[in-house]
Amino acid sequence: MQIALRGKNVQITQALREYVDKKVGKIERYFDDVPAAQVTLGVEKDRRIVEVTIPVNGILLRGEEATGDMYSSIDMVMDKLEKQVEKYRTQIYRKFRREGLKLPSAERPVEVEDSEGQFRVVKTKRFAMKPMPVEEAIMQMNLVGHDFFVFANADTEKVNVVYRRRDGDYGLIEPES
């Protein structure tokens, strides 16, 4: 597995790189083929932040932790990812044995002006969408830990959004023709 390691306001030492390789490499024991992982190490004030994103078999494992120590943050984020894998392990193997989707992303700031002020888009994500049922989209949303998930609905062949409601249930947004 290739690990793309990036630092924000921190210099990545060889010892830190080896520690990340060792810890993130453990994810490979759960899956047959893990092509790559993105790891971002950052420092903000007194917090050491670690973000890990691993696309594998059509799902996206993602975790983020912040502590006072970089090594503790790495350990905690990997514990979080391993819990995600354990929680969804049977569903992942049952539903995603086929080749998964690839998730390239591009980030570039875009500024948009309107009559009342200025709006600034600070992050843009692009990704391939494979058609999937609503239940699978909810599972993926829970895996990445977000409150919403954009997907191509396998039944209607249109782009839909599932989201987590305040009452704990889920909602579905479908476009009208």
Side-chain angles (χ1 to χ4, degrees), residues 5-17 41-43 48 70-71:
L5 188 58
R6 194 174 73 146
K8 289 183 181 176
N9 301 325
V10 66
Q11 183 165 355
I12 299 172
T13 63
Q14 186 63 29
L16 202 52
R17 181 177 301 280
L41 308 177
V43 176
R48 307 303 184 256
M70 189 64 76
Y71 291 95

Side-chain angles (χ1 to χ4, degrees), residues 95-112:
K95 292 186 178 187
F96 301 113
R97 287 193 182 238
R98 289 174 258 113
E99 182 178 300
L101 76 135
K102 297 175 185 164
L103 299 171
S105 68
E107 295 182 23
R108 60 180 157 85
V110 177
E111 293 189 12
V112 179

Side-chain angles (χ1 to χ4, degrees), residues 33-145:
D33 182 36
V34 181
Q38 271 191 315
V39 180
T40 303
L41 308 177
V43 176
E44 288 181 9
K45 297 183 183 177
D46 60 343
R47 297 177 347 144
R48 307 303 184 256
I49 303 165
V50 177
E51 298 173 17
V52 178
T53 305
I54 305 171
V56 64
N57 293 340
I59 62 168
L60 190 64
L61 297 174
R62 186 179 184 290
E64 180 177 336
E65 283 295 331
T67 66
D69 177 53
M70 189 64 76
Y71 291 95
S72 297
S73 295
I74 294 167
D75 290 340
M76 290 175 69
V77 79
M78 291 314 299
D79 289 344
K80 182 182 277 189
L81 290 177
E82 286 180 351
K83 285 178 185 174
Q84 284 180 16
V85 169
E86 288 298 324
K87 182 177 178 181
Y88 294 101
R89 191 173 196 175
T90 56
Q91 293 174 340
I92 290 168
Y93 280 117
R94 192 177 327 128
K95 292 186 178 187
F96 301 113
R97 287 193 182 238
R98 289 174 258 113
E99 182 178 300
L101 76 135
K102 297 175 185 164
L103 299 171
S105 68
E107 295 182 23
R108 60 180 157 85
V110 177
E111 293 189 12
V112 179
E113 247 184 275
D114 79 346
S115 60
E116 294 183 22
Q118 186 173 357
F119 298 100
R120 213 174 114 204
V121 176
V122 294
K123 189 172 187 177
T124 301
K125 286 192 175 186
R126 291 188 173 99
F127 58 94
M129 286 193 284
K130 72 171 187 165
M132 65 179 71
V134 175
E135 295 80 18
E136 186 175 325
I138 291 171
M139 187 188 78
Q140 290 223 16
M141 176 184 68
N142 288 331
L143 262 176
V144 296

